[in-house]
C-alpha cells in the first residue's frame, strides 16, 4: 500500500490511496493519536441555516401551515418557502438566498420558533456568506448588528434581500416607512412604496401575488383552486363516530381568541339594543349597486354602517378610546380604525378599515372587498388585524336578530348587527306599511361609558341610516 500522508496538529487530514491490497492493520502505528476520515463526495456548496426571523407583535412561535418547496428544490431570493400562522395573522416566508434546499426542519402543523432554523440551504461557496447569514457549525452572529445600513446619520433596518430590491428599483430606504419591529423595512413596504409610484416596475416574485404560489414541482397554474378558496362552498361532510375522545391543541386564530376573550372578562360590560328602519337605505343601495359594479366593487350595506359609525364617533369620541391597565388614563384615538368581524375557515377574525374618518363610502367598500378576499384566502396580514379602535359584527349574515357582543380590548365599545327583516310598521298617518328592520346590539365598557352616552351615539348612528341623505351634510 502506498499512502501519502499530510499531518497537521497530530492528526491525518487527508489519506489518498494509489494502490489497494490486503495488509495488517497493526502495521499502521503512529506515535500520536490519529484519526482516519472516511472518504465521501465533497459538496462544492456551503450550507447555511435560514432562521425564522422576528415577524413583530411580540410573536415567538408560529404554526407551519404549508411548504411551497421540498428538499432538493432550487430557490432564488424572494421565492416563497412556506406559510406560517401565528395567533394574529398568516405570513408567507420568502428566501433570502439563491441555492438548493437541503433540509426542512419542520413538518406541516409543527410549531416553529422565532430565531430557530427553518430550512438548510446550500449556496454557492464562491459567492461567500454575508454577515446576515448563519452558517452551519459557525458561531451565531447578532442579526440586529448586520441588518441595517447608515443613511444620513440614522440606522435603517432592512435585510439584504430588501436592500437589493430597493436598489434594483432605485429606491432610497430613507424614504420608505418601515412597518416591522423597530421600524424595520419589510419587502411589503417596498412593494407598497412602488405601487404608489407611477410607472414602477416590480421584479418577478411569487410573493407579489395575493394568492400564495404553488409548489415548485407543479407545472399547471392553480387558478381554479385559488378561486375555490376565495369563494367558500358549503360541503356536506359525513359524520363519523369513532367512540373515542379527541384532544387537539389550541392554535392559530383560536389561540388569539382565547387570549382576547380572557382579557375581555376584566371589562364590566353593559348592553343597549334598538331597531333601525333601513327602508330608505335599501332603496339607495339598489340605486348605487350598478354604479359600484361598473367600478368593479361589490357594494353591501356594511360600508354605510361603518361610515355612519365614524360620523357618530366624531360626536362621541369616548367610544373611540382606550383605557390603560391601571384605569388612570383614557387615550382618545385620532383614527377611526373600525373592525369588521368575519367568519372564515380559520375561525373568527377581525380585520379593520383604517382611517374611516377620511374615507368615502366607496373607499370603505373597496377596502372591505380587499379584506374579505384576503380573509377567505387566509392571507390577512398583521397590519390588517391590529390597530382597531371600534368594532362592528354583522351576525345577521348568518342569522339572528339580537346578540351580546364582547368587547375586544383595548377597545371600549362594539356593535352587533342583526339580519334585515321585512316587518309591518305604522307611518305618521297610522297606516301599515312594509319596513326593512334591522336590530342592533351594543356593548360598552361601563368604567368610562355610561348608558346615556351609548344611547345618544346609537340614536345618531340610527338617524344617519334611516335618513341616508343626512349623511351628506357631515361627509368629509
Amino acid at each position: 500500500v502506498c499512502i501519502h500522508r499530510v499531518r497537521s496538529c497530530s492528526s491525518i487530514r487527508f489519506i489518498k490511496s494509489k494502490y489497494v491490497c490486503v495488509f495488517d492493520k497493526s502495521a499502521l502505528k503512529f506515535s500520536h493519536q490519529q484519526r482516519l476520515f472516511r472518504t465521501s463526495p465533497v459538496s462544492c456548496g456551503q450550507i447555511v441555516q435560514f432562521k425564522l426571523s422576528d415577524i413583530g407583535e411580540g410573536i415567538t412561535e408560529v404554526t407551519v401551515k404549508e411548504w411551497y418547496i421540498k428538499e432538493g428544490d432550487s430557490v432564488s431570493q424572494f421565492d416563497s418557502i412556506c406559510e406560517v400562522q401565528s395567533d394574529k395573522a398568516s405570513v408567507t416566508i420568502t428566501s433570502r438566498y439563491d441555492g438548493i434546499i437541503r433540509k426542512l426542519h419542520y413538518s406541516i402543523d409543527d410549531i416553529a420558533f422565532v430565531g430557530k432554523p427553518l430550512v438548510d440551504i446550500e449556496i454557492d461557496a464562491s459567492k461567500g456568506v454575508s454577515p446576515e447569514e448563519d452558517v452551519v457549525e459557525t458561531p451565531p452572529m447578532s442579526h440586529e448588528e448586520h441588518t441595517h445600513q447608515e443613511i444620513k446619520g440614522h440606522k435603517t433596518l432592512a435585510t439584504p434581500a430588501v436592500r437589493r430590491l430597493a436598489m434594483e428599483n432605485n429606491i432610497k430606504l430613507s424614504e420608505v416607512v418601515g412597518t416591522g419591529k423597530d421600524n424595520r423595512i419589510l419587502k411589503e413596504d417596498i412593494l407598497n412604496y412602488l405601487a404608489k409610484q407611477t410607472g414602477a416596475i416590480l421584479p418577478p416574485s411569487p410573493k407579489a401575488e395575493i394568492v400564495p404560489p404553488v409548489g415548485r414541482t407543479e407545472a399547471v397554474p392553480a387558478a381554479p383552486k385559488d378561486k375555490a378558496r376565495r369563494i367558500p362552498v358549503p360541503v356536506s361532510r359525513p359524520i363519523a363516530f369513532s367512540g373515542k375522545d379527541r384532544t387537539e391543541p389550541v392554535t392559530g386564530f383560536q389561540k388569539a381568541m382565547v387570549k382576547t376573550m380572557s382579557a375581555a372578562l376584566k371589562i364590566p360590560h353593559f348592553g343597549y339594543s334598538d331597531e333601525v328602519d333601513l327602508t330608505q337605505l335599501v332603496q339607495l343601495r339598489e340605486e348605487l349597486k350598478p354604479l359600484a359594479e361598473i367600478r368593479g366593487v361589490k357594494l353591501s350595506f356594511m360600508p354605510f354602517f361603518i361610515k355612519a359609525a365614524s360620523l357618530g364617533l366624531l360626536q362621541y369620541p369616548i367610544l373611540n378610546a382606550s383605557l390603560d391597565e391601571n384605569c388612570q388614563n383614557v387615550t382618545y384615538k385620532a383614527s377611526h380604525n373600525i373592525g369588521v368581524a368575519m367568519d372564515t375557515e380559520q375561525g373568527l377574525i377581525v380585520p379593520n378599515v383604517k382611517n374611516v374618518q377620511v374615507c368615502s363610502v366607496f373607499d370603505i367598500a373597496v377596502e372591505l372587498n380587499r379584506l374579505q378576499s384576503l380573509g377567505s384566502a387566509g392571507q390577512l396580514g398583521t397590519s390588517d388585524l391590529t390597530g382597531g379602535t371600534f368594532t362592528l359584527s354583522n351576525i345577521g349574515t348568518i342569522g339572528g336578530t339580537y346578540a351580546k357582543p364582547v368587547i375586544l380590548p383595548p377597545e371600549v365599545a362594539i356593535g352587533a348587527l342583526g339580519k334585515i327583516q321585512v316587518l309591518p310598521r305604522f307611518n305618521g298617518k297610522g297606516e301599515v306599511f312594509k319596513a326593512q328592520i334591522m336590530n342592533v346590539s351594543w356593548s360598552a365598557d361601563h368604567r368610562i361609558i355610561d348608558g346615556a352616552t351609548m344611547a345618544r351615539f346609537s340614536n345618531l348612528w340610527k338617524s344617519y341610516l334611516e335618513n341616508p341623505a343626512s349623511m351628506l351634510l357631515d361627509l368629509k
Side-chain angles (χ1 to χ4, degrees), residues 222-355:
K225 178 181 177 182
D226 295 335
K227 185 176 180 181
R229 289 184 63 189
R230 291 174 179 271
I231 306 175
V233 179
V235 179
S236 178
R237 299 178 181 176
I239 301 176
F241 294 96
S242 62
K244 297 180 179 179
D245 295 341
R246 183 179 62 183
T247 301
E248 295 180 352
V250 178
T251 59
F253 295 123
Q254 188 179 24
K255 188 174 183 179
M257 186 165 63
V258 170
K259 294 180 180 178
T260 304
M261 294 299 99
S262 297
L265 285 175
K266 302 176 183 179
I267 300 175
H269 289 57
F270 83 89
Y272 177 85
S273 300
D274 201 357
E275 70 175 31
V276 187
D277 185 352
L278 300 181
T279 304
Q280 293 187 39
L281 182 60
V282 170
Q283 297 174 356
L284 176 63
R285 174 175 171 268
E286 289 300 320
E287 296 175 4
L288 297 180
K289 273 181 63 178
L291 299 177
E293 290 176 356
I294 293 175
R295 301 187 189 184
V297 175
K298 179 182 178 181
L299 181 63
S300 64
F301 289 104
M302 204 63 189
F304 297 97
F305 299 153
I306 292 175
K307 188 60 184 180
S310 178
L311 294 175
L313 293 176
L314 292 174
Q315 301 297 322
Y316 300 96
I318 187 63
L319 274 73
N320 194 62
S322 64
L323 185 65
D324 65 5
E325 294 183 359
N326 297 325
C327 301
Q328 298 297 318
N329 299 288
V330 178
T331 301
Y332 294 85
K333 304 293 185 178
S335 298
H336 296 173
N337 300 338
I338 299 183
V340 181
M342 293 183 181
D343 179 42
T344 68
E345 294 180 358
Q346 293 79 30
L348 177 66
I349 56 177
V350 188
N352 58 82
V353 181
K354 300 288 195 298
N355 298 311

Side-chain angles (χ1 to χ4, degrees), residues 364-396:
I364 299 170
V366 172
E367 181 65 4
L368 276 180
N369 281 202
R370 184 187 73 87
L371 294 175
Q372 288 168 349
S373 297
L374 293 176
S376 59
Q379 292 183 304
L380 285 168
T382 304
S383 60
D384 295 323
L385 295 167
T386 56
T389 61
F390 186 88
T391 298
L392 291 177
S393 177
N394 190 8
I395 192 65

